[in-house]
Amino acid sequence: MDTSIAKNVSVNRGVFTTTLGAVVATLGSAVGLGNIWKFPYVTGENGGAAFLIVYVACTLLVGLPVMIAEITMGRKARANAVTTMERVTENRKQPWWLIGALGATAAFVIMAFYSEVAGWVYAYVFKAFGGEVLSTNPEVTGKIFGDLVSDPVQSLLWQWIVLILMSVIIVLGVTKGIERATKFMIPSLFVMVLIVAARSLTLDGGATAQGLSFLFKPDFSKITAEAVLVAMGLAFFKLSVGMGCMITYGSYWQSDQNIPVKTTLIMFSDLIVSLLAGLAIFPAVYAFGFEPSAGPSLLFITIPAVFASMPMGQLFMVLFFILTAFAANGAMLSLIEVPVAFLSERFNLTRLKATLLTTGLLALTGSTAALSSSTLANFKPFGKTMFDLFDYLSSNIMLPVGGLFIAIFVGWVWGRKNLEAELSNQGALQNKGLVSAFYFVLRFITPVLVVVILLSGLGVF
Ligand code: PHE
């Protein structure tokens, strides 16, 4: 019964046609620019180790519970985010489907800047081929990055290349290939980041010590209410939760998958990739005199210096950016899928039309992010460029709000019976104690934490 529904849904949406690959695809949604680009830059901006501890705590107490909640509902309802919320709501008068609609909006906001960063990654594959970028001089690597982002034509072009490629993949339905690529890509990316971290950690003893203490020796005086909000936002962003992505991907999970165990494994793998990225970047920051708080440019100006100081560095740098591009693509496909599935199913559009509409709108909104360091550099609503605004708004407001309602819905409305049945695979798994603990966290800890962190981080109290 379950499988036949799953098949229908898959055929309609043309997404992952094998349920086997669904867990891998979920990992592919989680691992992305969040690990390689965002984790190092926000950790650098917020003072390092203390921020890392808050981030890990938020991952365990907020991100993971919401991820389990989303996947559970998606697998139960076997549908896109909006339809899932309708199917699991017994009282049809309650508008829980709005969670799905908010999620589709969040996907737009995230893609607006994510597609630009992915564009930089694509551009760096070619820059690595060219070779000039392989320098240990912060001024040189900084200038090369600055030249890229301050050129409106290049910025727009790379973003459009990304969006066109994503549309082609979605319309052609080559997700099977992506599934296979992800299986190969994530372990390769892992090994690659490990190699870069090993090189960075052996650059120079003093810098290694500084980098390690930056990442692992907490100084809690650096933690402000806003830093806590950013850490929680990162936890949501990293696990792709709070916006229906995991509901959608959960709908492809097989009925006999152990959800608590698999999601925890995904969470750990994702965390390890991020930590390795941190170990690749921070020792190099100190070895060559970069700024840990450089912001969104951190990856692009620091990592070339590590490659410049290793044998076959140019080849490794090409491979590194190709693998990062693959990781970004896996995450973007899951992002675009949320509005595309919604538009095509709700308004009866063909997938081609839904995709063109989505990416067309994305090219428009995204271009304001792409031009944030050039034409629109002085356009700063709320004191932030459009790029920073999209980045901030999505992780620190939209995902937490979405996650809050998901936790409240599953903890207080959907209820224990449904949850227990689904998480134990209708009684096949002996995990009552685990489910009770999870239920408690989801009801009492997650929502309270989200509300308190959100309101204090925004300065409400
Ligand atoms: N988790 C992805 C990353 O770290 C980003 C993402 C966020 C993807 C939200 C889907 C939904 O790159």
Side-chain angles (χ1 to χ4, degrees):
M1 170 77 177
D2 266 346
T3 3
S4 69
I5 296 173
K7 265 194 199 126
N8 281 337
V9 173
S10 312
V11 170
N12 284 341
R13 294 202 231 131
V15 194
F16 300 96
T17 44
T18 63
T19 40
L20 252 181
V23 177
V24 177
T26 307
L27 181 62
S29 166
V31 174
L33 295 173
N35 310 70
I36 309 289
W37 163 75
K38 188 163 180 159
F39 170 80
Y41 111 66
V42 290
T43 305
E45 273 185 341
N46 290 285
F51 176 86
L52 177 59
I53 291 173
V54 179
Y55 162 63
V56 173
C58 288
T59 300
L60 294 173
L61 296 173
V62 178
L64 184 64
V66 176
M67 183 180 192
I68 295 178
E70 283 195 36
I71 290 186
T72 310
M73 285 195 292
R75 194 180 72 171
K76 170 84 184 169
R78 302 266 180 225
N80 72 71
V82 178
T83 310
T84 291
M85 291 315 300
E86 285 171 345
R87 283 191 188 161
V88 293
T89 307
E90 267 159 35
N91 182 346
R92 292 293 149 139
K93 288 204 187 103
Q94 294 174 351
W96 293 102
W97 59 269
L98 279 170
I99 293 175
L102 174 74
T105 317
F108 260 96
V109 178
I110 295 175
M111 270 304 287
F113 71 91
Y114 205 97
S115 55
E116 180 58 18
V117 184
W120 299 341
V121 170
Y122 285 23
Y124 264 65
V125 172
F126 295 90
K127 292 203 186 296
F129 265 118
E132 307 86 60
V133 69
L134 280 105
S135 161
T136 55
N137 182 343
E139 269 168 37
V140 174
T141 60
K143 179 169 186 317
I144 290 177
F145 181 73
D147 286 348
L148 170 66
V149 298
S150 62
D151 178 348
V153 177
Q154 282 198 62
S155 305
L156 283 178
L157 215 59
W158 283 114
Q159 184 179 49
W160 290 351
I161 290 173
V162 169
L163 290 175
I164 291 170
L165 185 68
M166 290 303 108
S167 312
V168 170
I169 292 176
I170 292 194
V171 171
L172 291 184
V174 289
T175 37
K176 258 223 162 103
I178 296 285
E179 254 174 69
R180 254 178 250 138
T182 308
K183 259 185 214 155
F184 162 80
M185 180 279 296
I186 297 209
S188 316
L189 180 70
F190 177 82
V191 172
M192 173 59 79
V193 188
L194 194 69
I195 295 173
V196 188
R199 179 62 196 120
S200 187
L201 283 165
T202 49
L203 280 168
D204 139 30
T208 303
Q210 273 178 295
L212 287 176
S213 83
F214 183 79
L215 262 182
F216 298 116
K217 208 166 145 234
D219 170 3
F220 284 99
S221 68
K222 297 212 172 116
I223 291 297
T224 58
E226 170 154 27
V228 176
L229 176 58
V230 173
M232 181 173 78
L234 179 65
F236 275 105
F237 184 84
K238 270 309 319 117
L239 294 177
S240 314
V241 297
M243 52 157 294
C245 224
M246 289 293 124
I247 295 180
T248 314
Y249 272 25
S251 71
Y252 302 108
W253 280 42
Q254 280 169 319
S255 308
D256 61 355
Q257 292 284 8
N258 188 333
I259 295 178
V261 169
K262 289 280 159 61
T263 46
T264 306
L265 282 175
I266 290 176
M267 185 272 292
F268 270 118
S269 323
D270 179 70
L271 188 61
I272 289 172
V273 178
S274 295
L275 285 177
L276 284 176
L279 289 174
I281 286 184
F282 290 108
V285 161
Y286 292 103
F288 302 114
F290 292 97
E291 262 311 315
S293 59
S297 62
L298 184 69
L299 167 75
F300 298 93
I301 58 180
T302 317
I303 215 82
V306 185
F307 290 111
S309 36
M310 81 198 236
M312 295 197 296
Q314 188 172 7
L315 177 67
F316 275 111
M317 184 165 167
V318 171
L319 287 176
F320 173 85
F321 278 102
I322 288 180
L323 289 169
T324 304
F326 266 100
N329 292 351
M332 285 191 288
L333 288 176
S334 74
L335 278 161
I336 299 181
E337 185 55 28
V338 179
V340 167
F342 170 66
L343 287 173
S344 61
E345 292 175 12
R346 200 35 69 100
F347 301 103
N348 253 332
L349 298 180
T350 60
R351 274 187 70 84
L352 176 66
K353 279 198 189 131
T355 306
L356 289 181
L357 189 64
T358 303
T359 43
L361 275 173
L362 270 175
L364 281 180
T365 43
S367 61
T368 61
L371 297 175
S372 278
S373 299
S374 52
T375 322
L376 296 179
N378 294 321
F379 178 60
K380 291 187 172 172
F382 304 99
K384 290 186 190 313
T385 63
M386 290 306 280
F387 181 99
D388 292 337
L389 191 65
F390 288 136
D391 187 356
Y392 189 93
L393 193 69
S394 53
S395 285
N396 303 339
I397 297 176
M398 300 182 87
L399 300 186
V401 169
L404 173 66
F405 285 114
I406 289 165
I408 292 177
F409 177 79
V410 174
W412 295 91
V413 182
W414 206 40
R416 188 178 185 124
K417 253 196 25 229
N418 280 317
L419 199 64
E420 238 170 39
E422 210 42 45
L423 282 179
S424 68
N425 298 345
Q426 322 301 330
L429 301 171
Q430 300 298 317
N431 57 3
K432 263 221 159 89
L434 191 77
V435 173
S436 296
F438 165 68
Y439 188 56
F440 178 82
V441 173
L442 196 68
R443 264 164 89 84
F444 297 105
I445 312 239
T446 308
V448 172
L449 275 179
V450 175
V451 170
V452 171
I453 294 176
L454 194 59
L455 294 183
S456 59
L458 294 175
V460 178
F461 59 75

